[in-house]
Amino acid sequence: MARCGVAMFITIAIILTKNARYRMTSIYEQGLPRTPANHVPLTPLSFIARTAAVYPGRTSVIHGDLRFSWAQTYARSRRLASALVGAGIGPGQTVAVMLPNTPPMVEAHFGIPMTGAVINALNTRLDASAIAFMLDHSETRVVLVDREFSATMKAALAQVSVKPLVIDIDDPEYQGAGERIGICEYETFIASGDPAHAWRHPSDEWEAIALGYTSGTTGNPKGVVTHHRGAYLNATSNIVVWTMPHFATYLWTLPMFHCNGWCFPWTLAEIAGVNVCLRKVEARAVLDAIRIHKVSHYCGAPIVHSTIINAPAELRQGIDHKVSAMVAGAAPPAAMIEGMERMGFDLTHVYGLTEVYGPAAVCARQPEWAELGISERARLMGRQGVPYTLQEAVDVLDPATMTPVPRDGETMGEIMFRGNIAMKGYLKNEKATQEAFAGGWFHTGDLAVAYPDGYVKIRDRSKDVIISGGENISSIEVEDVIYSHPAVMACAVVATPDPKWGETPCAFVELKAGAAVTEAELIAHCRAALAHFKAPRKVVFGELPKTSTGKIQKFVLRDKARSAAAIE
C-alpha cells in the first residue's frame, strides 16, 4: 500500500507538470484585465469629492464667525488647484505652506495634491535658516504664508537659491501686524481659479502626496516623502481605531504641519466631519470651542491635555458631553488619565513618526481594563501598543539579526514598522532611505520591549532626540550653536524631564580655561540662533564625563539631568 501511494503521488506530479507547460499563468489572470472600471489608484482626494456630492450642505469648517459647507470647501480647494495650475504648477512639483490651523490650511491639503503637486507643510515654529533649507531642498515653486509668519518667511527667502512665488494669507482672526510679502492675497488668488476644475487623479497611488521634514539628529533635517496610498489608508485607520462616527466635530489643537495633522484633514472629509479651526492652543480658547461647538474629538501632545486638565474650574464649566482625546509622545501618566476621566474625556494613546504618517500604532484598549485600578490601567495604557488597523505590522526586533525579541517585557530591541503606512523614503537621500528600510522593515530608532500580549513599549531612544511639547529637537543642532560661543570648550545636550513640556533641553558645558559665561548669557546666545523652544532651559557647568577615547558619555549626563529634575 505504501509503494502504491508513492507511485500515485509521482503520477499526479508528472501530470500536473505536463499541464503546467500549456498554462504558464493562473486561470485567475487569464482574460481578467486590470482596467479603469475595476482598479482605481487610492487617494484621499476622493473623500472630499464623495462628501461634497453626498453631504454638500454639511458644515465642513468653523473658524471664528466663518462657516463653510463641504460643497464650498470642495469648490475652494478646486479653485486653489486651478489657480496653481495657472501659475505653472504641475505633477511632481512642490508647494509649501506656512500656516496655522485655518481654512486655507484645510484647503491646501486638497487643492495642492489635486494638481499632482506635493504639499510641504512647514513647521511654523522653525527659524528662517531651517525654513530656507527646506524651501531649497524641496525646490519649492509656490509658498502660501500667513501674515503672522511673514517676518520669518521674508528672512528665509533672503537665503534661498531660487525664490518661489509667494501668496499672502490674511486671516480675519489674526490681530497682528505682519506685513504682506507676496504677489497677491489668497482670496484674490483662488478667485482666479475654476470651482469646477477637473482635478488630476493620481495615475499611481505610489505618487507622492506630501513632504514633511524631520527635526533630525544632524544639522539638516531629512525630507520624508509620503504617498497617496498611505495617506488614504492612515486617514481611514484613524476612523477605525478611534471609532469615529459620521459628522464628528474635530477641534484642531494638533498643528496640521505635524505629519499633515496625522492625516486628519483627509479623515474629516471621509466622514463629512467638522473642522473647528484654532490659531493658538490656549486653555480658554480650547475649552470654549469644546463647549460651544460640542467638539467630539481632538488630538495633541501631552502638554495640550495637561493644559486642559489644569485649567481653572470655571473654564471647564458646561462641558457635559463625551469628548474623545488622542495623545501621542510620552506615555500618559496616571494623573492625566484620571484627570481626563473626571472631565468625561476618553483618552487614546497612539505612537508613530513622520515616516509613518504620524500615529501608526495604538494602545488598543481591552474591555476588561475598565475594571482595573487607575495605576494598573495607566501602566497598560501607557504602552505604544499594536499596529494601526491598516498598518501591516509593528514589532520589536533585534536590529542585528532582524528577529523578534522575546515577548517578556524585559529584552530590549528596536521598534520597527512594516506595511503600506510607511513613507516612500527620504527626499534626495538614498543612503538614509536604504538604512531606514534595511531588512524589509522601517527602523524607528526607538528602543523598546514587547509584552506577552504583543503590545510594545518604548524604553529609551537610540538617537539623541529631545521631544518637547510634541516637537523633536536635535541635540546636535543645539550643541553646534553652543560650541559657537567663544567661551565653550565642550558641551553635550540631553533631555531633562519637564512637567509641562514632557522634555526640555539641558546643556552640560565645559568652559575654556580662564573663560567665563553665565547661564543666562548662554541661553540668550542659543535663542539668537535657534527657535526659542530649541534653546536649553538649563545649563550646568563643569567637566564633562568622557570615555578613554574622549567621547562624551551622554548616558551619565542623562542620569544627572533626571536626578536633578526629580529633586526639583
Side-chain angles (χ1 to χ4, degrees):
M1 292 293 292
R3 281 197 297 270
C4 181
V6 171
M8 178 180 69
F9 282 117
I10 292 174
T11 301
I12 291 172
I14 292 171
I15 293 172
L16 291 176
T17 301
K18 287 182 177 180
N19 287 345
R21 293 173 184 170
Y22 299 101
R23 177 172 44 81
M24 300 303 292
T25 59
S26 165
I27 59 173
Y28 298 104
E29 299 298 327
Q30 296 178 15
L32 304 174
R34 181 183 298 184
T35 74
N38 62 11
H39 178 81
V40 179
L42 301 179
T43 174
L45 304 180
S46 62
F47 299 149
I48 192 171
R50 178 184 183 275
T51 289
V54 178
Y55 304 108
R58 298 289 308 191
T59 299
S60 60
V61 172
I62 295 174
H63 185 49
D65 295 329
L66 189 64
R67 301 289 186 277
F68 288 131
S69 68
W70 276 108
Q72 290 173 313
T73 294
Y74 185 39
R76 287 173 61 84
S77 299
R78 293 167 85 180
R79 281 187 181 277
L80 173 58
S82 176
L84 287 171
V85 169
I89 295 300
Q93 295 178 335
T94 308
V95 178
V97 297
M98 196 163 181
L99 308 173
N101 292 340
T102 55
M105 185 61 138
V106 175
E107 294 156 11
H109 277 81
F110 297 95
I112 293 171
M114 280 177 176
T115 69
V118 175
I119 178 173
N120 176 16
L122 300 167
N123 185 332
T124 60
R125 298 177 67 185
L126 293 177
D127 56 88
S129 60
I131 297 296
F133 168 81
M134 294 171 186
L135 295 177
D136 265 344
H137 185 254
S138 63
E139 301 174 25
T140 292
R141 298 283 301 276
V142 175
V143 60
L144 311 181
V145 186
D146 185 283
R147 281 195 300 119
E148 181 178 353
F149 313 113
S150 61
T152 300
M153 181 57 68
K154 185 176 181 179
L157 293 173
Q159 303 174 42
V160 299
S161 301
V162 179
K163 287 183 171 54
L165 187 73
V166 178
I167 307 298
D168 295 307
I169 293 182
D170 285 336
D171 178 19
E173 293 296 303
Y174 176 57
Q175 304 301 316
E179 67 174 309
R180 289 187 178 183
I181 60 173
I183 62 164
C184 68
E185 202 278 327
Y186 180 77
E187 293 298 332
T188 301
F189 183 68
I190 67 170
S192 68
D194 181 3
H197 175 69
W199 54 271
R200 181 186 180 277
H201 196 288
S203 59
D204 187 335
E205 58 195 25
W206 181 246
E207 285 184 21
I209 189 171
L211 172 68
Y213 282 88
T214 67
S215 292
T217 54
T218 56
N220 289 331
K222 295 193 288 287
V224 175
V225 181
T226 54
H227 47 73
H228 284 255
R229 178 181 180 84
Y232 181 103
L233 295 174
N234 211 39
T236 302
S237 279
N238 284 337
I239 299 168
V240 179
V241 302
W242 220 5
T243 59
M244 292 185 77
H246 267 77
F247 319 128
T249 301
Y250 181 90
L251 178 62
W252 276 107
T253 49
L254 171 75
M256 277 186 246
F257 64 67
H258 256 169
C259 313
N260 301 103
W262 299 354
C263 294
F264 275 97
W266 300 309
T267 296
L268 270 293
E270 189 171 2
I271 61 173
V274 181
N275 294 272
V276 180
C277 294
L278 196 64
R279 285 192 69 95
K280 294 186 183 299
V281 178
E282 297 170 339
R284 181 179 293 277
V286 169
L287 292 166
D288 283 350
I290 291 174
R291 180 175 52 256
I292 294 169
H293 303 299
K294 299 297 181 184
V295 167
S296 58
H297 295 75
Y298 75 93
C299 301
I303 186 175
V304 174
H305 308 287
S306 296
T307 297
I308 294 172
I309 294 171
N310 296 313
E314 59 268 21
L315 296 183
R316 292 185 267 116
Q317 293 297 317
I319 299 176
D320 53 9
H321 63 284
K322 178 185 175 182
V323 179
S324 295
M326 188 175 278
V327 61
M336 179 182 293
I337 296 172
E338 196 169 9
M340 288 275 115
E341 290 179 353
R342 280 200 307 268
M343 293 174 59
F345 287 25
D346 185 59
L347 194 64
T348 298
H349 181 209
V350 294
Y351 163 73
L353 304 89
T354 306
E355 289 89 340
V356 289
Y357 299 73
V362 59
C363 190
R365 273 181 290 175
Q366 302 293 332
E368 55 269 26
W369 293 359
E371 307 302 319
L372 301 174
I374 184 65
S375 59
E376 178 62 10
R377 197 158 70 250
R379 184 187 71 80
L380 293 170
M381 290 175 63
R383 298 179 294 176
Q384 277 58 50
V386 294
Y388 245 37
T389 306
L390 299 178
Q391 178 69 299
E392 191 67 22
V394 60
D395 207 344
V396 180
L397 307 182
D398 181 329
T401 63
M402 293 303 292
T403 57
V405 301
R407 293 185 172 184
D408 55 10
E410 295 294 335
T411 307
M412 297 271 282
E414 183 179 354
I415 294 184
M416 300 190 193
F417 283 97
R418 183 174 63 192
N420 293 298
I421 306 175
M423 66 173 179
K424 294 184 69 165
Y426 297 115
L427 184 67
K428 301 178 182 177
N429 198 335
E430 187 175 350
K431 181 176 182 292
T433 299
Q434 291 174 347
E435 291 173 351
F437 291 138
W441 289 78
F442 168 65
H443 297 240
T444 67
D446 287 333
L447 302 181
V449 298
Y451 286 85
D453 59 3
Y455 286 59
V456 304
K457 181 176 177 61
I458 291 177
R459 282 289 175 87
D460 201 353
R461 300 186 185 278
S462 61
K463 300 175 183 179
D464 298 320
V465 174
I466 301 162
I467 302 180
S468 182
E471 298 281 355
N472 287 353
I473 301 172
S474 163
S475 62
I476 294 177
E477 181 184 12
V478 183
E479 287 164 4
D480 285 345
V481 174
I482 295 174
Y483 270 116
S484 70
H485 194 283
V488 173
M489 172 66 77
C491 74
V493 174
V494 300
T496 185
D498 185 273
K500 180 177 181 181
W501 299 104
E503 294 176 346
T504 55
C506 176
F508 288 85
V509 176
E510 188 173 330
L511 297 179
K512 296 176 182 177
V517 63
T518 67
E519 180 181 41
E521 288 170 345
L522 204 50
I523 291 174
H525 173 75
C526 291
R527 289 190 166 192
L530 297 165
H532 284 198
F533 76 95
K534 293 185 177 182
R537 300 294 182 90
K538 185 175 182 179
V539 178
V540 180
F541 295 97
E543 185 177 353
L544 302 183
K546 304 177 185 72
T547 65
S548 58
T549 60
K551 185 177 180 181
I552 297 172
Q553 296 175 308
K554 279 197 169 183
F555 69 94
V556 174
L557 299 178
R558 288 193 194 95
D559 288 341
K560 285 186 177 181
R562 292 191 190 108
S563 298
I567 294 172
E568 293 173 358

